[in-house]
Amino acid sequence: MTLYTEYLTEIETRKEQGLSPKPIDDGDLTEEVIGHIKDTSSPHRDDCLNFFIYNTLPGTTSAAGVKARFLKEIVLGEAMVDEITPAFAFELLSHMKGGPSVEVLLDLALGTDEGIAKDAADVLKTQVFLYEADTDRIKDAYEEGNAIAADLLQSYANAEFFTKLPDIDEEIKVVTYIAAEGDISTDLLSPGNQAHSRADRELHGKCMMSEEAQKEIEALKLKHPDARVMLIAEKGTMGVGSSRMSGVNNVALWTGKQASPYVPFINIAPVVAGTNGISPIFLTTVGVTGGIGVDLKNWVKKMGEDGKPILNNDGNPVLEQRYSVETGTVLTINTKSKKLYSADGKDELVDMAGSFTPQKMEFMKAGGSYAIVFGMKLQTFAAETLGIEAPAVFAPSKEISHEGQGMTAVEKIFNANSVGATPGTVLHAGSDVRVRANIVGSQDTTGPMTAQELEAMAATVLSPSVDGAYQSGCHTASVWDAKARANTPKLMAFMNKFGLVTGRDPKGAYHAMTDVIHKVLNDITVDDWAIIIGGDSHTRMSKGVAFGADSGTVALALATGEASMPIPESVKVTFKGKMADHMDFRDVVHATQAQMLAQHGDNVFQGRIIEVHIGTLLADQAFTFTDWTAEMKAKASICISNDETLIESLQIAKSRIQIMIDKGMEHENGMLAKLIDIAEQRIADIKSGKKPALTPDDTAKYAAEVVVDLDQIVEPMIADPDVNNVDVSKRYTHDTIRPISYYQAEKKIDLGFVGSCMVHKGDIKIVAQMLHNLEAQYGEVKFQAPLVVAAPTYNIIDELKEEGDWAILQKYCGFEFDDAAPKVQARTEYENILYLERPGCNLCMGNQEKAAKGDTVLATSTRLFQGRVVADSNTKKGESLLGSTPVVVLSAILGRTPTLEEYKVAVDGINLTKFAPPLTKPLDSLSVHF
């Protein structure tokens, strides 16, 4: 059977699913397609012409290489295809976005046929995805006196690839579609349980919201052909959560416009909106596609005569509507005045200056942020080669500097890592900065999209300026099903070849490491001045500053070693008081959220950096706080550490990197060994006093300050999705924090989960010690609800075995993972036993393991979105409550939430956390967690 015959079979299978033929990325299949095109008698010729022109993926796919070479033959007259003239061949090459297409265009432009060379050069002037190999060829030709090369360089120096693009429309009509009320999680747009299909854009698009919603959107498009559908989070924020790129891809697929007529299912420029704006990471992703994000402010707090908000019976502000965005409402966006108007343009509804900054308007004009990033680099190269000053074409980066004002921790990191800023200028919050990305992480459910983005931007090798890069296998760890077997090895092979250390060895030489990506990134971050970019919203490290990013931004960081963003404002978090012995550090995390809201009324963390002064805790425990800041809607977080604590954290990181090397995970580029060298140098600089641990300046300016009173934390707390709140907008947020006494020991728990990136070695030790405690008290331990335990890393399990804690876990478990025989099916029904699951994300991800519909789950994880961990049943809403490890364990044993006294007995003698506000000398931070 030929590849083309197999492709036809696949087409029939997809047709049954209501899908089009899958875009072709395989070079061998493309060769067979070309064979049918050349054979004028082939019955498949017409179909193959269509596949070749409209259904072959561009960039650096092997299919793109074959396509580009055949188009070159047509241009040179070496192959004749009536339907593809040389002019049309050039047009097709112009849509292939670099890699082999640029190589072919350079061959033609620098060739001997003057007419062809000029036509090729005209196409090249529109291209921006050129890499060193391409620019070196142009430079060499220019230095040899080639006129075409000189013409190209002049065009690039003038940035004609940008200036000759049409301007964005002054008026954009939109028609509203309310996707949901309250915060909209990206899970609604791209469900985690469909993560396996994200790289198949048409297939994945079918999971957005619902079939009914998709039909309603299509109906709006038919009714308003001159308007773009604007997807809205009514009374909430759009795009909270993790599935950013796939979420934006889906929204663009249904409401955006096609990027190229010759590339299927890649749409750009969606318009999304929220009463409270757009989640910061999601908004960045919208910019990647040249889309528009709108902060509607259509509901405002009702104010009393005293100037204070009027509160309802629940203590929440009463909202009143300023203007309606009911589904089907036609509105007008004016990109010149930067305002949202009524349909007739008479009533001004909201200012949109933040949506139309000069940089964002450039993204819109260029069809996305990548083209601008690469275009700037190309212009700089051309000007330097010609020995001229590049004309000011692009909007200058906004540089904000306040004389006499010190720097926050994030401002210090951004200034230290900035690229292209005015020399000697101190940049403060609000400045637009290009920064070096030190550590980059790709995870396995977004990784296939990252690989696609790298191919699309014609990147083939990791930027040498990146210190460390890792591809995880944690999001698909728990079930090694057909989807994982099809996607994961291919992804690992691609990323390893690109230059990343990978959780799985493409050659199978080392044991598959399904360790949670955030834990690995936290270990390989060996400098508190580092910038980390990761393909997951929980890319929050306890060293350096980390930003969760869409798969496209991750690809850009891998390819260029850079990221671009404004320096965010910071909120300073400090602590006072003394922590009670029976409290777990997770409760400090919840208390921070609750006390912040009590102190400020609004969420002052949203869109900002949380600078947490928590320096007496080592990296793993501090990570529990920084990790949770994603749920606080923060842009990122920074941990201010004491010198001694940072040194100890770096020593631990060194040992864990060495374990990775010992397991055979070192890349041929020597990346892990280099990271150990960086850690050793950082330790030496701290010890010598040359460069102490990162701290803010005393004169730094903060957007707000929060002081957490540890004395107020007297009982464990739970983050509750509050699924039955009469105000729909208050459901499924992370702002409802309740003490366990609220539940009066009556809240039935159907499933407990200890796992995800929020736990570390100490949490698994707590499970073991609680079993010892309860066994001593009752003689034996019986579970009234299932308890799933998933250690984040294999190292933790190895250490627990050495220290004797694993034995009691094995004693009470009814299931223990076996890497030699991984599960091939997801588990949705559980017995009342302890499950020791494979290291990885497990239930938190929602794409594999799943609670039964309508269950009440109590978990240590971060996800309480509707349908993520547990879906609704016909009779009951699923609930994902979030709490500390001891609360989860005890609740699973009791089958309900405990009383405070039951809890105290269960944790008696367990040294949960030694944490106090940082003093002049750090406390001993080695509690049971180590």
Side-chain angles (χ1 to χ4, degrees), residues 85 192 417 612:
T85 63
N417 288 282
V612 55

Side-chain angles (χ1 to χ4, degrees), residues 10-20:
E10 182 191 62
I11 288 173
E12 290 304 312
T13 302
R14 289 175 68 86
K15 192 181 293 183
E16 293 171 5
Q17 300 173 275
L19 298 171
S20 306

Side-chain angles (χ1 to χ4, degrees), residues 499-543:
L500 282 71
V501 170
T502 51
R504 287 179 177 271
D505 183 0
K507 299 175 183 176
Y510 61 78
H511 180 262
M513 296 290 114
T514 56
D515 297 347
V516 173
I517 181 173
H518 318 297
K519 293 300 190 184
V520 178
L521 293 183
N522 200 38
D523 287 338
I524 69 172
T525 300
V526 286
D527 188 350
D528 50 328
W529 291 74
I531 291 178
I532 303 96
I533 303 292
D536 193 289
S537 60
H538 285 93
T539 306
R540 310 290 168 117
M541 303 300 108
S542 55
K543 302 183 290 292

